[in-house]
Amino acid sequence: MATEHLSPLDLAFWRIESAAHPMHLGALAVFEAVPQDGPGAGAAPGTGPDPAVRAAALLTARCAAVPGLRRRIHDVLLPIGAAAWSPDADFDPARHVFLVRTPDPHAAAGPLMARPLDRSRPPWEAHVLAGPEPGSFAVLFKFHHALADGLGALALAAMLFDEGATVRGPVRPAQEPQPAGSVLRNLPGMLAARVQDVGQALEIGASVARSGLPLGVPAALTAAPARTGTRAVAGLALDLDDVNRIRKVAGGTVNDVLIALVAGALRRWLLGRGDPEPEGAGPRALIPVSRRRSGGAAKYGNRLSGYLLRLPLAEPDPLLRLDRVRLGMDRNKEAGPARGAGAVALLADHVHPLGHRLGGPLVAQAARMLFDILVTSVPLPGFTFSLGGSRVREVYPLAPLARGHSLAVAVSTYLGTVHYGLVADAAAVPDLAALAEALRAELDELVREVS
């Protein structure tokens, strides 16, 4: 069997990780429990197995049947600095699925997101968080970014739910070896593509240089390295109908509105803390863009580029903020996801594996120079997920937090509801709940403006 090496971008995510800055993404799925009856005839409703216990048992049983969840990452001799996937001969579901009793699933998710995954095992975990009320529970999924991006992680998680058999899971087609003659015939095209790739890398590098230094960024969006390592998590659910009402009147896309809500909430939050009035062009938001083909099968690993967008925090008018966000995103889309300062992920393809291994820590420290906040969107399918008969009511995506950053924002839409997942450095952002409420207040104001 041919060795399956990590792609350059997957390898970059694997190498830049540190104990204080784990590179896993996550999702907190909150369930609407439907307890099963006991085995005896006429058993009273709710006297069956504990839904959280049942969910943990199902996840434990099902994960062993998903090949993508049984693979671990290991270093290889050649190419020097590279890493590859291999089956975990000692795979034990009990090392990946955990049952936790907690009075507050959101509060429990913070410390769990701060804890790195075991790099000697398949890089994922599922924590069933049993709440205080009978039948209430949530599941926190954690997937290392080297294993999957948001769409890939969704495909993997979907295979563990009751609908898993009907969801097309991630596949990685085998590469057919090319005859020697075909390599020679393709050599001119390969050289031309290489020249084009180098030109693209130079263009992206120039765009990064032009994007500007992180000057005038609010102190609340930075985290001193000595204070990092702890995490806080918050979630907020908003009505998608309200978002669509704003979009129809003000123009743009749903994503434009969701990003503008983040900009407005940050402004409200900063002013509420007593910080100075925001000035200047605003912090640089990195907005990941999927490079997967529409309708294609999800694959393991990452297929990502990105846009860089200045969040107009200095603009006091919410509709003008939305307009500036829309214009900025239109410019990004016109240029395309393979160009511009947000396409830094594509530079990973131009780095030798040894460069990733030796330069990973330096790249991690440089994140603060490339962008100021991550704002990512994870699309979810239109049907309802369930696990052991318990339906998923809410899904809060959670993004990794780069070194020097205090906040990462992820957003998804599920069953007519927008779910914002906020991950923060707990020391730098002790009032994360206030930011979540600022998102709600910003939506309310925009609805009033367009009504």
Side-chain angles (χ1 to χ4, degrees), residues 330-375:
D330 286 347
R331 286 193 293 269
N332 278 325
K333 293 170 189 175
E334 184 178 354
R339 303 168 61 188
V344 289
L346 302 182
L347 296 180
D349 293 338
H350 304 279
V351 179
H352 188 276
L354 183 59
H356 284 299
R357 184 166 189 172
L358 298 179
L362 295 176
V363 173
Q365 294 180 31
R368 184 70 188 83
M369 302 296 293
L370 299 174
F371 63 100
D372 305 306
I373 183 174
L374 178 71
V375 181

Side-chain angles (χ1 to χ4, degrees), residues 171-313:
V171 295
R172 185 181 289 276
Q175 294 183 350
E176 296 292 336
Q178 290 185 320
S182 67
V183 173
L184 292 176
R185 287 193 299 272
N186 293 335
L187 186 57
M190 294 168 60
L191 291 174
R194 182 59 179 167
V195 171
Q196 183 178 9
D197 287 346
V198 171
Q200 180 191 46
L202 292 174
E203 182 179 4
I204 294 172
S207 297
V208 171
R210 291 194 301 267
S211 68
L213 296 174
L215 301 176
V217 177
L221 294 184
T222 64
R227 299 171 61 193
T228 56
T230 58
R231 294 290 181 270
V233 168
L236 180 71
L238 301 175
D239 193 333
L240 181 58
D241 287 343
D242 287 340
V243 174
N244 277 317
R245 186 177 302 114
I246 296 167
R247 176 190 61 81
K248 290 176 181 178
V249 174
T253 66
V254 166
N255 201 46
D256 293 341
V257 178
L258 298 178
I259 296 170
L261 288 176
V262 173
L266 287 173
R267 176 183 170 84
R268 289 175 177 273
W269 174 62
L270 293 169
L271 294 177
R273 290 161 55 108
D275 287 10
E277 180 87 14
E279 296 179 347
R284 300 159 303 169
L286 178 63
I287 302 171
V289 177
S290 175
R291 297 170 60 220
R292 299 182 188 277
R293 292 182 179 179
S294 177
K299 298 182 178 67
Y300 301 130
N302 293 266
R303 295 283 296 167
L304 292 173
S305 183
Y307 296 139
L308 200 68
L309 177 73
R310 291 279 186 177
L311 298 180
L313 305 193

Side-chain angles (χ1 to χ4, degrees), residues 109-121:
L112 290 173
M113 285 297 291
R115 190 174 73 188
L117 295 164
D118 188 333
R119 292 170 67 91
S120 68
R121 300 172 182 167

Side-chain angles (χ1 to χ4, degrees), residues 382-394:
F383 55 82
T384 304
F385 288 109
S386 65
L387 182 61
S390 298
R391 297 189 306 171
V392 176
R393 188 178 72 244
E394 303 165 1

Side-chain angles (χ1 to χ4, degrees), residues 70-158:
R70 297 174 57 97
R71 308 191 311 166
R72 57 180 292 269
I73 297 174
H74 66 279
D75 291 337
V76 295
L77 292 177
L78 294 174
I80 298 174
W85 291 101
S86 64
D88 184 2
D90 299 319
F91 179 76
D92 181 359
R95 296 175 176 174
H96 298 270
V97 180
F98 307 93
L99 178 61
V100 181
R101 301 286 178 179
T102 173
D104 186 345
H106 279 102
L112 290 173
M113 285 297 291
R115 190 174 73 188
L117 295 164
D118 188 333
R119 292 170 67 91
S120 68
R121 300 172 182 167
W124 70 275
E125 291 177 352
H127 298 263
V128 180
L129 308 175
E133 299 179 2
S136 67
F137 73 98
V139 177
L140 174 66
F141 292 98
K142 294 168 54 177
F143 297 95
H144 199 285
H145 222 323
L147 172 62
D149 55 22
L151 290 176
L154 170 64
L156 286 168

